[in-house]
Amino acid sequence: MRMPPLVVAALVVCALLLEAPNHAWRADPGCVWVLMSVPRGDVAAQAARIRAIVAAAFQLLEERGLDGFSMRSLATELGVFPATLYWHIGDRSQLLGLVEYRWIEELQLPPDDAPWREWMLELGRRYRAHCLAHPNVARLATLERARNVESLSIPDVIVGRLESLGFDDELVLAFNAVIGAVRGFVLLELAPRSEPDSADVLEADLRSLDPERFPHITRHFDKLADQALSLRWSNGVESPLNDSFDFLMSLLIDGLLARSKKPGR
């Protein structure tokens, strides 16, 4: 019988922690691993501790979400004391930063030689697909500013692409438009229901809207039902809004190209 990934990670960590460490890997404020003292033991084993803890944290976030995650709950799952996690990882913010980095480093950028429009559209699609595959970790990356500068690699590439269009004085405005539009849409698309089993109740409430109070929505309800972001009883994992996202990206890209100083790209 195949063991769940979280159990495997727990066994790895517990086995490694049986060795008394002669040194420790710690994270600096930028989440770059530095060796605190000269090792006498196995450096690979120390690195394996870190990887196993991050893998377990990733799995726990996927299963329980950000609200159900804590250093104590992770320590309990791994069968260690919370102090062990703080020693090897640092604080909660540093750990979440490492989880975010593990998530974002799996996202593949479009080819460098792709035309500007196709590159930006494909990046948005890939980012959103990655979010739909890991919704709870995606919410973490969007809602909580974890201590992690390594995840800035993709924003850095976006800044470069905007710069190639000639954005200078409006560079920050264009960058915020891209990040805000894409992340904001995905966050709303993935918004969980307040009660997991309340879809039927919410659908019934929306279908019984008073036409006198909401004349425009009720007139177009058949088109808007469970498709408009404010009128959803499903979330993006269950019922993704692919056409709406592509429409948003087209508007965004067209607007950026219209304002750029090199519109022919």
Side-chain angles (χ1 to χ4, degrees):
M1 182 177 65
R2 186 177 181 180
M3 290 186 294
L6 190 59
V7 175
V8 174
L11 291 175
V12 171
V13 171
C14 291
L16 290 171
L17 289 176
L18 290 176
E19 304 174 2
N22 295 312
H23 69 284
W25 289 88
R26 298 299 302 275
D28 69 9
C31 285
V32 178
W33 295 109
V34 294
L35 199 57
M36 299 301 291
S37 63
V38 178
R40 296 200 308 267
D42 186 356
V43 174
Q46 297 288 356
R49 288 186 175 94
I50 303 302
R51 290 194 298 270
I53 292 171
V54 173
F58 190 101
Q59 185 69 23
L60 190 61
L61 276 164
E62 281 285 84
E63 293 176 354
R64 302 185 186 179
L66 192 57
D67 292 340
F69 177 86
S70 68
M71 297 293 275
R72 184 171 295 278
S73 64
L74 177 60
T76 299
E77 290 289 335
L78 294 174
V80 300
F81 292 109
T84 301
L85 302 181
Y86 288 105
W87 175 255
H88 289 288
I89 295 290
D91 60 21
R92 179 179 184 273
S93 180
Q94 289 170 318
L95 175 57
L96 293 180
L98 290 172
V99 171
E100 179 185 353
Y101 176 62
R102 171 184 163 161
W103 174 74
I104 204 67
E105 71 174 346
E106 296 175 354
L107 178 61
Q108 298 294 317
L109 293 174
D112 289 338
D113 58 354
W116 198 94
R117 173 186 290 275
E118 285 74 13
W119 188 93
M120 189 63 73
L121 176 60
E122 182 61 21
L123 177 64
R125 286 172 171 170
R126 292 186 183 192
Y127 174 82
R128 175 171 167 268
H130 202 46
C131 290
L132 294 178
H134 305 284
N136 283 331
V137 178
R139 293 187 190 104
L140 158 68
T142 303
L143 293 174
E144 184 157 331
R145 297 176 63 183
R147 292 173 62 183
N148 176 19
V149 299
E150 298 301 321
S151 296
L152 290 176
S153 57
I154 291 179
D156 182 74
V157 175
I158 293 173
V159 169
R161 288 280 168 163
L162 293 171
E163 183 183 35
S164 72
L165 283 185
F167 282 101
D168 185 7
D169 294 340
E170 294 184 325
L171 178 63
V172 66
L173 303 180
F175 176 81
N176 287 343
V178 171
I179 298 298
V182 174
R183 286 193 170 187
F185 183 96
V186 173
L187 185 62
L188 288 171
E189 188 180 20
L190 290 177
R193 292 182 292 269
S194 57
E195 298 178 10
D197 299 326
S198 63
D200 293 341
V201 175
L202 181 57
E203 179 181 0
D205 289 344
L206 291 172
R207 291 190 179 281
S208 62
L209 290 176
D210 184 354
E212 293 187 2
R213 292 187 60 198
F214 308 102
H216 306 296
I217 291 177
T218 53
R219 184 162 60 250
H220 299 285
F221 188 81
D222 289 343
K223 296 178 181 178
L224 299 172
D226 207 29
Q227 295 298 308
L229 287 172
S230 299
L231 299 168
R232 297 272 282 168
W233 52 84
S234 302
N235 63 38
V237 176
E238 300 166 346
S239 178
L241 301 174
N242 298 330
D243 292 341
S244 293
F245 182 77
D246 281 356
F247 185 78
L248 169 70
M249 290 299 298
S250 294
L251 290 179
L252 177 64
I253 293 170
D254 289 344
L256 290 171
L257 289 172
R259 292 188 71 95
S260 76
K261 297 180 181 178
K262 300 177 183 178
R265 301 201 51 163

